[in-house]
Amino acid sequence: MEQITYYSTVSEDERNANVILPPNYTKSRKYPVLYLLHGIGGNEYEWLGGNPNEVVNNLVAEGKAKEMIIVIPNIRVRHKNVTAAPEFFSVEHFREFDKFLPELRDNLKPYIEKHYSVMSGRENQAVAGLSMGGRSALHVGINLIEDFAYIGALTPAIGVLPYDMEEGLFTKSTLKIPAKYKKNTLIMIQKGGNDGVVKEWPLEYSKTLQKNGIEHIYYTTAGGHDFNVWKKGLYNFVERIF
C-alpha cells in the first residue's frame, strides 16, 4: 500500500488517499482500477478494517478476479477555510460527501491515471462503497457513467432519493442510466438483513431502478451495518468486475 497526496481544486488544499497495488505490480503492464469509498464516520483508512487486499488477492489467486489497483480516498471534501459541520448527521455534513464527485472527476482520477499504470476505458473502471460511500458510489457512477462500467452500493445510505431532510441526489424518475449503457453496466446493491442504520433504503433504490427498467443485482446478506456484511459485498462485487 502506498499513501498519495494530491491537490484538490475543490478543497483548495492537499488531500490524501491510499493506493493498494497488486503484489507483482509493474509499469510494464496496465491494470483496471477500483475506487473504494468509506462511510460517514470514516476516512481513507476505514476500508483497511475490511482487509480489501486479502479479499481481492484471494479472488485473484483463485482465478475469480483480475489483478487491479485499489484506490481508497477520503470522500469527505471540505474547503480548507470551512470548519466542520456542527451536526454530524446534518445536510451540511452530507454535502461534503456529495462534493466528492467533482473531486474524483477533476483531481483524484486524473492523478491516478498520470502516476500509475492504468487501463483506459470505462470497462476498466469501477467504484464501490459502504454506507455513505455506497450513496456516493451511486452518485459518482451514474453521473459519470461514461467513465464507470461497474457500480457497487454496499448498504447505501439515505439521500440517494428524496426524504424529509434532503431533495435527494436523484429523483424516482432520474435514478437511471442512458439506454446505451444499459447492457454494459453492472450495478450491484447490497442490504444487510437486519441493518437498523440504512433500514429499507437499499431496497427502495433497487425498486426504483427496476421501475425505470435498469437491470441490476440486488440481494440481502445476513447481518447488520458492519464489515461482516461489507466484506461479503466486496467479494461478490469484485468477482463480477473487469
Side-chain angles (χ1 to χ4, degrees):
M1 186 179 76
E2 299 181 353
Q3 185 178 77
I4 62 169
T5 300
Y6 65 95
Y7 182 77
S8 165
T9 58
V10 182
S11 66
E12 295 190 330
D13 202 1
E14 298 289 331
R15 289 175 56 78
N16 297 326
N18 287 312
V19 179
I20 299 176
L21 300 173
N24 299 311
Y25 175 78
T26 171
K27 291 186 177 180
S28 64
R29 57 172 290 197
K30 295 184 180 295
Y31 302 83
V33 181
L34 166 61
Y35 292 87
L36 201 51
L37 316 182
H38 63 79
I40 192 168
N43 54 28
E44 67 270 26
Y45 292 99
E46 182 180 35
W47 256 109
L48 301 184
N51 303 114
N53 56 322
E54 294 180 9
V55 173
V56 173
N57 287 329
N58 284 338
L59 282 167
V60 171
E62 295 170 10
K64 296 180 179 179
K66 294 183 178 180
E67 286 192 320
M68 65 189 72
I69 295 171
I70 306 171
V71 181
I72 310 177
N74 184 336
I75 69 170
R76 182 189 295 102
V77 185
R78 181 186 304 139
H79 191 274
K80 65 178 180 180
N81 296 329
V82 175
T83 57
E87 297 292 334
F88 191 73
F89 292 104
S90 65
V91 173
E92 183 181 0
H93 191 199
F94 301 162
R95 289 289 173 268
E96 295 177 354
F97 289 82
D98 300 342
K99 291 177 183 177
F100 180 65
L101 194 158
E103 168 91 354
L104 174 67
R105 180 192 62 210
D106 300 336
N107 301 293
L108 179 59
K109 195 168 182 291
Y111 179 96
I112 294 298
E113 292 171 356
K114 179 179 179 181
H115 291 85
Y116 292 93
S117 188
V118 173
M119 298 176 75
S120 61
R122 66 186 298 274
E123 68 276 8
N124 297 302
Q125 305 282 324
V127 59
L130 62 87
S131 193
M132 201 65 171
R135 161 179 157 149
S136 291
L138 290 168
H139 186 214
V140 168
I142 292 174
N143 279 288
L144 302 180
I145 194 67
E146 69 279 3
D147 293 323
F148 291 96
Y150 312 94
I151 304 167
L154 313 181
T155 68
I158 194 170
V160 174
L161 291 172
Y163 66 107
D164 58 350
M165 284 178 59
E166 293 182 273
E167 295 181 355
L169 299 171
F170 303 93
T171 66
K172 287 195 172 183
S173 62
T174 62
L175 185 58
K176 58 185 179 180
I177 60 177
K180 68 178 181 178
Y181 295 116
K182 285 185 177 182
K183 297 299 183 181
N184 55 10
T185 300
L186 169 69
I187 299 177
M188 174 181 286
I189 298 177
Q190 177 199 35
K191 177 184 179 297
N194 60 340
D195 190 330
V197 178
V198 301
K199 301 180 180 179
E200 297 301 314
W201 281 106
L203 176 59
E204 188 64 27
Y205 303 152
S206 174
K207 287 180 176 178
T208 303
L209 288 171
Q210 186 176 21
K211 184 178 180 180
N212 290 335
I214 307 302
E215 293 184 10
H216 64 286
I217 296 172
Y218 171 81
Y219 71 100
T220 299
T221 300
H225 199 72
D226 54 54
F227 270 113
N228 289 325
V229 171
W230 300 324
K231 286 175 71 174
K232 293 173 183 175
L234 179 62
Y235 181 99
N236 289 331
F237 182 68
V238 167
E239 70 174 347
R240 289 170 170 82
I241 63 178
F242 310 138

